Structure formats: structure tokens, C-alpha cells
Amino acid sequence: MRKPTQILTATILGAMFGTQAFAQSYPDHAVTLIHAYPGGPMDAVMHVVAEKLSEIWGQPVVIDTRPGANEIISADAVATAEPDGYTIFVGTESTFIYNPYLYASLPYDPNTALTPVSQLFDIPFGLLVRADLGVDTVDDFVAMMRADGMNHSYGSFGVGNIMHVGMEQFLGAAGIEMRHVPYRVAGQLMQDMFGGTIDAVVASAIMANRFPDQMHMLMIDGDSRMAALPDVPTFAEAGFPDLHIRPILGIAVPQGTPEDVQATIQQSFAQVITDPEFVGSVVIPNGYETVASTPAEFQAFIAEQRPISEALVNDLGIHLEQ
Amino acid sequence: MDLLTAFTDHLSLGLSEALAPMNLWYCFLGVFLGTLVGVLPGLGALITISLLLPFTYQLPVEGALIMLAGVYFGADFGGGTCSILLGVPGHPAAAVDVLDGYPMAKKGRGGVALFIKSVASAWGSIFGILLLMLFAPLLARFARQFSPVEYTALMALGLVAAATVGRGSMLKGLATMVIGLIIATVGTDVNTGFQRFTFGLTGLSDGISLIALAMGLFAVTEVITSAGQKSVSPVKASYRLRDQLPSRGEWRRVWPAMLRGSGLGALFGALPGTSGGMATFMSYAVEKKLSRHPEEFGHGAVEGLAAPEACNNAGIGTAMIPSLTLGIPGDAVMALLLAAMMLHGIQPGPLVMVMEPQLFWGLIASFWIGTVFLLILNIPLIGVWVRLLQIPYPLLFPGIVLFTCIGVYSTAHSTFDLYLVLLFGLFGYLLHLLRLDVVPLVLGVILGQPFEENLRRSLLLSDGDFSVFVTRPISLAAVALVAVILAFSIRRALRAST
Amino acid sequence: MADETRDLRDVLTGVLLAGLGLAVAGYALATYRLGTPAAMGPGFFPTMLGGVLAALGAAIGLAAWRRTRPEAAPQPKPRAMLAVTAGILAFALTVRALGFVPSAFLLVLCVGMADATNHLPRLLLLGAALTLLSWAIFVFGLGMPLSAFNL
């Protein structure tokens, strides 16, 4: 349990020694994780991770949130922090992949200001429809939309959100169209889906697990079928081998952070998130998959995904002005 | 009487869980901490819960949830205390408490105001939770009748009703409400991804921070208005409990208002996305319309304090319905409570009630117990709070500004939000000089985004056909009421000017 | 008191509101796409609101022009405005650079000036007391990650 006095001591010590801290003893004071989603499911997961990290490191791990602007504010806060490993950014595909193409300019250089350290999780998304729509397979769904797509709606959390971009990706691959209805409040989106206003979304496995009678997952991203949804085909099995809709959760540190510190951070996170108990109690119930990649693997993944996303954003003609 | 047996079964199961000594202690601790933090301006339930969340890891799951629920109720209550005593709402939805509670405090009746508030909120909680226990599935089905069309119409009604809340003319109330709606358009347009009125500032891309706005408009404006005035001398008040009790005449006005308020709150609470503020403002407007002395509203009318308070707490009770039965958070605070469940390995959703009945009903029973604790805790505290008013204003107001600034800064660590506090403080002062009331503006800001979104969604789904608003019964009724209120106020405005 | 002067403060209110409404509507029209009711662009709602506000402002101003002044309007207080502005600005500018303690102290000093009866010794004492109190509540009690000194 973190006591306020511990944090205080750590803060004072940190202020006194500041940048003189050496990597050999990392971490010797409080480490801060910064993300953009106070109160969200990710916040909960990161609180558990922080608690386990502080057990490993013997130092407080504090979570600090800087909400807003598609993570730009939180990413910028870390990009401008001391590169000593005591400020770690936690973000999604928005920062790591899409934002450079969605926004004409960013306050930091998206290619260099942050050094990606590890991809923590994958969150495979699938095609979720309301049960009373009366379709049981992807083929039925595509046929229905081909006949009457513009009288059917899909929901998202706004233009440029993965639920919008991902669904458009699928619609494009299937050669069909649907009406896009954006939402800001998750509760109302789900309620409208229960009520029949919204016919489909792309989403993680959580809702399908929770409401098997009201929601049907028609297919889901993944190399093999998901253990929790054994009857749901993968994208490839359903005929979309090139489709990938999987938000990610990754960590990054400011450019110039010593490599041995990066390595310590990556290994400690990996130790926490690959722990079978953690996987069983946090990862699987949230519809996540543990990745725990190395810095090189994560950077390669980003380099591979960015051109695909750039083409996608351009095709859809999305521009979020800053 | 299947319903009744089920109810008593659940109640006894829940109470046996919640009355376990350790759980009682966690409940008390939560309520106590929540009240203390909630009193600080700018710190609402959300930040209090997120601060305390790490401390609950070590507790057993029932204890953790019971404590956090206690924090929720306590913080909400504390926010209103601050509204009444200093005219500074602890959180934006408590703005309505400023309307009549603060004038009462200024007249030296702060203790009575706090007493009425305690009783009204306790009644609201008890009633809301009772409905939650009896009719959870029914209320959930009621909420599912609401498509974007009904939401739009209902919010229009809420907005027009809020415009009547101010002290000035209805026209002025409408004008400030519209300013609020305009302020709410600042930020990313969710339908197109377009940035509106942000002028290239990253800090505005998610819209104006509601906390910064409310703290500026209330705390800073109030300090500028009252500082340095000779008339603001400490109010002479007595601390004896006997003097904090409302008179018999006041009781007669309070209890029907409480009943009406809690009914309205319970219905609205079941609709996710309408935000706490809307129902309380509507309830205030209803009281003002029904009252035989509407001229007292804004100058310390007890109904204007009791009804919204009961409404607010009844709403908290029913707002748990979507959260607990669907696993969908009704607001950010609920999201954190659900997160706490997940942290303890419990998956929120429809199965909680079946798989963990002890936890589910224990949690609900603990809401009741928390309410009782709130009452027990707060009635003796009234004397302490009222003493706050004895501090001479020249010594008090720098503290108000300091606590407001720290509260706002600590929510997002954004100095940008501090500039917003200042900006809205000066803007609020300008409105004060122009004799415009800020309260309708706050509701405009709270409801602006959901109102615009639902309006656009309705028309998107109807291909631009406005007749959807009058072809569905719930929406038709709301639209008709809006028309009646507007027609009435226009007629009165025309008559007043001749 | 039937004063013969018009209710000029309300006339001013009306003019300012109408001006604000027109400015919003004009800016939205010029900058954002309007769209159709079925597919509203980002400009539709703000333009509509600006128009409504302008109309309300005009109505308020006209009504005030036709009636006499009913009550005294509050007079501006430059001292309080300046003191509060300076205090909040000082806090916002220094809380990161100097840390929470000096910045809170500065805020109390500046804001306290709003009342002419607050002399310097009293303000220094008040500043120290309030800084200590808020440090105890926010940093010590609530464990908020604010640094006390950044020197």
C-alpha cells in the first residue's frame, strides 16, 4: 500500500537528486506512469500493473492522467519530461500509429520524441451485431448490407476512432456501405444497440461474453480462435485474411533514456503482465491478449503498421485539425 | 407477492453482509473521507474515488466496494455543503444548491439549510435505492424506450426549464442558457472530427473543462463580488442543534418538495448520458412553478433546496441500474466503481446479481447504511461547518481562491485549466454586472454536447425529417411542454415591456 | 421609484448578447461547413445558436429601451478584479516552475489585496497558514503528486 508520506519522501528525494540518479540503481524513487484515460477500463488495469511494479521495484509507482486530445496531451507531457526512466507513457494505437496522420501537426515529433519500449497488450476486435438483427454469419451480414446498407447503422466513438476506422476497413474489404453514427457516451451507444437503433459495431470480446443472448460476435481478429469464444471464426476463416482490427496498449519513454533503464522497464512490465495469475484475472476478462514485446519488436511493429494506417486515413479522408 | 418476498430475501441477505462489523467500518470510513474531500471546491466524487482507489487494493472486495460507494455518497454530499456555505459548488452538479442554499447561509440560516439538505438527500437516497431494489429490471426496460429522439426532446425540455431557474427574466435565462450551449460546442465535433472554436489550442480540443468553468463562474466571481465590501460581515449564528432545525411551517413546505424531487430524480437517473445536473434543475423549475410564493426562489426558498437535493440522491440510486445490471457505467464515477470490481476479479455485468448475490445486495444495502452514516455524521458537523462562516470574509476569500485553484489544477495537472478558471471568473463577473444569472449557463454547458449529438443523431436516422419529434408519444409530450413554457414566457415578456 | 432614465444597463446587456450571437454565427458560417439537417456539418448547430442568441439579445435590449430603470445595477470593482486576476495568474505561472508552496503563498498575497483592510503583515501570516494547511490536505493527506518546491 502506498502511503502519502512515502510518496512525499520520494518526491523530495527526487527533487534533491533529480537527474543525477544513476541507471544502476534504477529505480531509486517514485516512477510515474502517464496515460490519458482517467476512470476508464485501462485506468483500472494500469492501477493493477502499477501496484505489481511497485512490489518488484520497491518504489512507489504513481499513475498520473492527462486526459484529452486523442492522447496528444499525455504524450507531449512525457515527450518533454526528463529522459531518466521515471516518467513512462502508456498509450494506444492513437499515439503510436494513427495520430501523425490524423493531425496536420503535433506538439512533439512523432518519429523521435518518444522511444517505444514495449507493446503490452493486443485487444482483438470483432464484428458485433445485435442478436435480433437476424444474421448468424458474416456472409448473411454482408448480403443484408449489400441489399440495404444505408438503412442500417453502425456506432463508434467518433471520427478517427478505431471503432470508425476499423469498421470502415471491414466495409471497404466487403464492398458494402453503412450509415456511421458517432457517440461520445459508451452507455448510450450500448443502450441504442440494445434498443435497435444501432445494428453493429466493432468491439472487443467483452460485450459478447457478457450478453450472449442480445449480442452476437460474427467474427473476431486473431491467428486462431479465441478461447472464450470458440464458435466465432477468425477474420481469415470468415474470408477476410488481410483485415486487422486490434487496438494496442504500449509504453514509451522520452528520447534519450539510457538503454539499460529501458531494458529494466521492459523486463519488469513483462514480468507483471505475463504472470499467469495476472493473465487469468485481468488480461482475459478484459478481452486483452498479452504481447510484452521488446523495444526492437515494438518499433518494428510500429514501422510496419504506420504506412498501412496512413493509406487508410487518406482513403477515408479523415482530418482532425489541431 | 412474489416481488415482496424477493425483496425481503434480498434485503436480509444484503443487510447481513453490510452489517458485518468490518464492512460497517469501511462504509463509515468511506462516507467520512468522501465528505471531507467533497467539501473542497473542485474535488468531486470522481477525483476522490480515484485518489482512494489504490488504498482499497488490500481490502476484501465487499469492503472495497462498500467503502468506495460510501465515498461516492459522501463526496456528493460534501459538494453541496460547500455550495450552501460559500456559494461555491464542490462539483458542477451541486450548482443548484447555490441558488437557495447560499442566500439562506447569508441570512444566518446556513445551519437550517444544511439540515434540510441532509434530510432531503437522505430521503432521496433511501427512496432511490428502494426503487433500485424493487424495480431495477422495470426501470432498465423504461430506459430502453429512449431512442435519440426522446433524449433530444427531453433535453430540450430540461434546458427550457433551466432558463426559468434564474433570478432575472425568462428571456435573460434563455440567453445565458444559449451561451452555455455555445460554450459546449468548443472542442472536437464528434460527428465530423472537426475542431470548433479551439483557435489552435490543444487544451481546448476536448472542450472546456466543466470543473474549471464552474469554479471560475462561482468561486472566482463570488470572491470578486463580495471581497472588500463592508456589508459582508460574519453572520451571527448559533451553533446549538436546536437552532439548526427548520420550523414547522418550513417542514410543511419541505416534505412534498422532497417527494416530488425524489420521484423525478429516480426516473431520470435510469437514463444514461443525461448527466446528474439535468434532473436537479428540472426539479427546481417544477418547484418554482408549483410554489405559491415563486418570488422567494433565489432568496432562500426551502423547497428550492430540498427538491433538487432529494432528486439528486434518488438519481444516484437509480443511476446504478445500468452500471450494475449491464456493466455499463452511467458516469465516470460509476466507471471507477466498475474498475474496482474488475481489480478484484469480479466481472461487472448482468451476472453479478446471480453469481455474487451477497456482494450485489450487500453493496446496495450498504448504500442505505451509508446514507444513515451521512446523517449521523453530518448533523453534528453542521455546527462545525457553520463556524466556517464566522471567519471574517477578508481572511476567508484568499483561501477560497487558493483551494479552488489547487482543486482544479490537481484534477488534470493542467495550468491551462487555471487560465480558464480566471477567464470564466471574469466572464461571470461581467454577467453579474449585466444582471445575468450564471446558473442556466451551467446547465447549458452540461447538456450542450449530449443535446447536439442526440439532435444530429435523430435527424441522421430520420433522413432529416423533423416530424420524428412529434410522432412519438414521449417526445411529443416533451415538445408540447417546451412550446407551452415558451409561449407563456413570451406573452409575459411582451406584457412586461408595455 | 419611477425614474425617467431608461434601463440602460439592460439595453447594454441586450446589445452585448446580440453582438456575441452575431459573432458566433458569423464565425461559424465563415469557417465551418453548414451541411443539411440530415447530415449536419460542424457549423450547423453553432450558427443556429448564434442566431437564437442574437434574437434574444435584441428582444432584451428592445424591452429595456421601452421601460424605465427598476433597480440600481451593481458597479464594477477594479481593485478586486485586479487582485484576483493577479493571484490566479501568479499561481498558474509559478506552480510548475517554483513548486506548490511558493506559488500558493503568492496567490494568497495577491488575492488578499482585494480587500483594502488586509495589510501586509496579516497577509504574510495568512499566506503561511493557508499554504501549510493546503499542503497538509492535498499533498500529505491526499497524496497528490504535487512537488512542494522546485528550486
Side-chain angles (χ1 to χ4, degrees):
Chain A
M1 171 119 76
R2 286 202 308 272
K3 292 194 184 67
T5 40
Q6 274 179 345
I7 299 176
L8 176 79
T9 326
T11 315
I12 291 174
L13 286 177
M16 282 163 70
F17 296 109
T19 51
Q20 272 103 50
F22 289 103
Q24 287 88 335
S25 53
Y26 176 88
D28 61 5
H29 61 268
V31 176
T32 306
L33 306 182
I34 295 187
H35 72 78
Y37 304 100
M42 165 183 166
D43 197 19
V45 173
M46 289 322 293
H47 269 292
V48 185
V49 173
E51 192 60 21
K52 310 248 169 189
L53 280 176
S54 71
E55 282 166 25
I56 295 177
W57 287 339
Q59 294 292 343
V61 178
V62 185
I63 291 192
D64 189 358
T65 52
R66 305 283 167 90
N70 251 336
E71 302 176 13
I72 294 174
I73 293 172
S74 55
D76 188 45
V78 179
T80 53
E82 284 294 325
D84 53 10
Y86 289 94
T87 316
I88 300 173
F89 171 73
V90 186
T92 71
E93 71 287 347
S94 291
T95 299
F96 291 112
I97 297 169
Y98 283 100
N99 279 355
Y101 312 113
L102 290 175
Y103 294 90
S105 70
L106 294 172
Y108 56 90
D109 183 338
N111 295 316
T112 58
L114 290 169
T115 309
V117 172
S118 177
Q119 181 188 345
L120 305 178
F121 307 108
D122 253 348
I123 309 159
F125 268 27
L127 179 62
L128 188 72
V129 300
R130 60 187 170 88
D132 45 11
L133 190 63
V135 295
D136 295 319
T137 65
V138 179
D139 287 343
D140 289 353
F141 183 81
V142 171
M144 179 187 262
M145 295 312 143
R146 187 156 287 143
D148 194 21
M150 286 319 278
N151 280 319
H152 288 89
S153 307
Y154 76 88
S156 85
F157 290 141
V159 170
N161 176 274
I162 185 96
M163 291 174 77
H164 168 231
V165 179
M167 181 61 102
E168 288 296 338
Q169 230 173 319
F170 159 65
L171 295 176
I176 50 178
E177 279 184 296
M178 286 178 80
R179 196 159 45 189
H180 173 215
V181 185
Y183 284 78
R184 207 182 299 255
V185 181
Q188 216 194 336
L189 169 56
M190 292 321 296
Q191 206 186 29
D192 277 0
M193 200 158 163
F194 282 120
T197 309
I198 295 297
D199 302 304
V201 290
V202 289
S204 74
I206 297 183
M207 294 313 284
N209 280 334
R210 243 182 237 174
F211 302 100
D213 297 335
Q214 290 105 325
M215 305 272 168
H216 283 171
M217 190 67 100
L218 297 182
M219 59 173 179
I220 193 160
D221 198 356
D223 298 332
S224 54
R225 292 194 176 195
M226 192 176 264
L229 297 168
D231 299 330
V232 177
T234 65
F235 282 180
E237 286 173 342
F240 297 92
D242 298 325
L243 185 63
H244 287 288
I245 311 173
R246 43 173 60 206
I248 61 165
L249 219 55
I251 52 174
V253 292
Q255 181 188 24
T257 305
E259 292 206 357
D260 50 347
V261 171
Q262 290 185 36
T264 309
I265 294 173
Q266 191 266 333
Q267 284 153 13
S268 306
F269 269 89
Q271 187 184 337
V272 170
I273 64 176
T274 54
D275 173 33
E277 195 216 316
F278 180 84
V279 171
S281 67
V282 177
V283 178
I284 291 174
N286 277 296
Y288 289 13
E289 280 177 4
T290 296
V291 178
S293 60
T294 64
E297 285 168 349
F298 189 27
Q299 283 155 24
F301 173 79
I302 293 171
E304 175 198 314
Q305 291 296 316
R306 279 199 176 173
I308 302 174
S309 308
E310 182 176 17
L312 197 64
V313 168
N314 287 337
D315 282 354
L316 294 175
I318 307 168
H319 291 289
L320 306 181
E321 269 135 76
Q322 249 299 93
Chain B
M1 285 272 86
D2 196 30
L3 201 66
L4 205 64
T5 33
F7 171 68
T8 45
D9 282 357
H10 293 151
L11 188 65
S12 54
L13 179 66
L15 283 177
S16 67
E17 180 68 30
L19 285 173
M22 277 322 279
N23 288 341
L24 271 182
W25 163 241
Y26 293 134
C27 184
F28 174 79
L29 199 67
V31 169
F32 181 70
L33 291 174
T35 313
L36 287 190
V37 180
V39 166
L40 300 171
L43 298 190
L46 179 64
I47 183 132
T48 319
I49 290 188
S50 47
L51 279 171
L52 292 176
L53 196 59
F55 293 95
T56 65
Y57 292 151
Q58 317 295 326
L59 307 183
V61 57
E62 293 85 5
L65 286 178
I66 285 172
M67 180 169 153
L68 289 175
V71 170
Y72 188 7
F73 278 98
D76 197 77
F77 187 91
T81 303
C82 198
S83 305
I84 290 178
L85 294 176
L86 304 174
V88 178
H91 50 89
V96 75
D97 285 347
V98 175
L99 285 170
D100 281 288
Y102 188 45
M104 284 180 78
K106 278 202 208 163
K107 287 179 190 158
R109 297 174 49 74
V112 180
L114 286 177
F115 191 88
I116 290 177
K117 176 184 145 62
S118 308
V119 173
S121 67
W123 160 254
S125 303
I126 289 169
F127 180 73
I129 296 158
L130 184 72
L131 282 186
L132 174 61
M133 292 177 111
L134 282 171
F135 303 117
L138 211 66
L139 277 167
R141 215 171 309 142
F142 162 77
R144 222 163 278 173
Q145 304 291 315
F146 279 71
S147 76
V149 174
E150 280 79 18
Y151 271 104
T152 311
L154 211 62
M155 286 182 196
L157 179 60
L159 287 166
V160 172
T164 64
V165 156
R167 273 158 283 203
S169 72
M170 171 99 180
L171 278 182
K172 286 183 172 179
L174 282 173
T176 42
M177 185 271 284
V178 173
I179 295 178
L181 291 178
I182 291 173
I183 292 174
T185 63
V186 173
T188 309
D189 170 21
V190 72
N191 285 59
T192 58
F194 219 85
Q195 305 268 317
R196 293 187 295 194
F197 304 109
T198 53
F199 309 106
L201 297 168
T202 309
L204 288 179
S205 65
D206 279 322
I208 304 255
S209 150
L210 190 58
I211 293 179
L213 172 121
M215 292 307 122
L217 285 179
F218 288 97
V220 176
T221 301
E222 176 60 30
V223 165
I224 298 178
T225 314
S226 303
Q229 256 172 8
K230 288 199 187 65
S231 61
V232 190
S233 54
V235 206
K236 287 200 181 51
S238 145
Y239 316 127
R240 281 177 313 175
L241 187 58
R242 188 150 31 101
D243 297 310
Q244 323 295 351
L245 297 178
S247 72
R248 190 163 301 176
E250 280 172 330
W251 273 124
R252 262 202 296 278
R253 292 168 58 181
V254 164
W255 72 260
M258 259 164 49
L259 285 184
R260 283 189 291 265
S262 55
L264 202 64
L267 278 184
F268 276 86
L271 304 174
T274 50
S275 305
M278 174 167 156
T280 49
F281 279 91
M282 273 187 117
S283 143
Y284 186 90
V286 166
E287 292 308 317
K288 195 171 173 180
K289 271 269 130 48
L290 291 181
S291 171
R292 259 171 292 163
H293 10 249
E295 72 287 349
E296 282 181 32
F297 280 74
H299 303 282
V302 284
E303 301 97 324
L305 182 62
E309 196 59 42
C311 174
N312 179 41
N313 281 55
I316 294 181
T318 46
M320 310 242 174
I321 292 173
S323 306
L324 290 175
T325 57
L326 301 180
I328 299 167
D331 60 21
V333 179
M334 278 290 126
L336 268 183
L337 279 183
L338 295 184
M341 283 195 180
M342 270 164 32
L343 283 173
H344 287 93
I346 291 184
Q347 286 313 301
L351 290 180
V352 175
M353 230 187 290
V354 186
M355 310 276 280
E356 314 263 354
Q358 209 151 341
L359 172 81
F360 183 82
W361 297 108
L363 182 63
I364 289 182
S366 79
F367 296 163
W368 259 352
I369 295 169
T371 303
V372 176
F373 275 141
L374 257 182
L375 259 185
I376 299 176
L377 198 68
N378 275 286
I379 289 184
L381 271 179
I382 289 176
V384 180
W385 296 132
V386 174
R387 259 168 239 259
L388 243 178
L389 296 176
Q390 298 305 110
I391 303 173
Y393 204 68
L395 297 180
L396 190 62
F397 73 81
I400 296 178
V401 179
L402 176 63
F403 279 63
T404 302
C405 284
I406 300 175
V408 169
Y409 180 68
S410 55
T411 28
H413 289 268
S414 152
T415 47
F416 185 79
D417 284 355
L418 292 171
Y419 297 119
L420 284 183
V421 169
L422 176 60
L423 185 77
F424 281 106
L426 295 174
F427 182 65
Y429 187 60
L430 175 69
L431 295 184
H432 168 79
L433 291 178
L434 296 174
R435 287 178 302 187
L436 292 169
D437 224 326
V438 297
V439 178
L441 188 150
V442 175
L443 193 70
V445 180
I446 293 179
L447 283 190
Q449 280 181 357
F451 179 61
E452 180 185 4
E453 274 167 44
N454 280 293
L455 175 69
R456 289 168 78 165
R457 210 173 283 145
S458 307
L459 290 170
L460 176 67
L461 293 166
S462 76
D463 284 319
D465 183 359
F466 280 90
S467 70
V468 286
F469 294 110
V470 291
T471 49
R472 304 170 68 127
I474 299 177
S475 156
L476 176 65
V479 169
L481 266 174
V482 169
V484 169
I485 298 177
L486 285 179
F488 183 74
S489 70
I490 288 170
R491 212 184 62 171
R492 207 169 50 176
L494 286 178
R495 206 183 284 162
S497 65
T498 45
Chain C
M1 282 280 281
D3 193 330
E4 280 312 299
T5 48
R6 299 177 192 284
D7 189 352
L8 285 179
R9 187 68 69 99
D10 267 14
V11 174
L12 177 68
T13 305
V15 170
L16 287 177
L17 289 175
L20 179 65
L22 288 178
V24 168
Y27 186 85
L29 265 181
T31 329
Y32 310 128
R33 195 170 47 80
L34 205 55
T36 62
M40 288 188 200
F44 199 98
F45 198 60
T47 307
M48 206 174 77
L49 293 176
V52 172
L53 184 60
L56 287 168
I60 292 170
L62 278 178
W65 187 256
R66 289 163 54 183
R67 86 174 161 238
T68 49
R69 184 203 302 231
E71 57 181 299
Q75 291 308 307
K77 292 160 57 186
R79 183 186 175 105
M81 279 170 74
L82 271 178
V84 172
T85 305
I88 298 177
L89 274 184
F91 185 80
L93 289 172
T94 61
V95 68
R96 288 241 175 96
L98 302 182
F100 160 75
V101 165
S103 146
F105 190 74
L106 270 176
L107 180 143
V108 176
L109 278 193
C110 297
V111 172
M113 305 274 203
D115 192 311
T117 61
N118 275 339
H119 44 79
L120 197 60
R122 184 203 265 179
L123 280 180
L124 290 173
L125 208 66
L126 186 66
L130 283 174
T131 304
L132 189 72
L133 181 68
S134 52
W135 178 83
I137 293 176
F138 288 94
V139 181
F140 187 76
L142 296 174
M144 284 189 175
L146 297 168
S147 61
F149 289 99
N150 267 352
L151 300 175

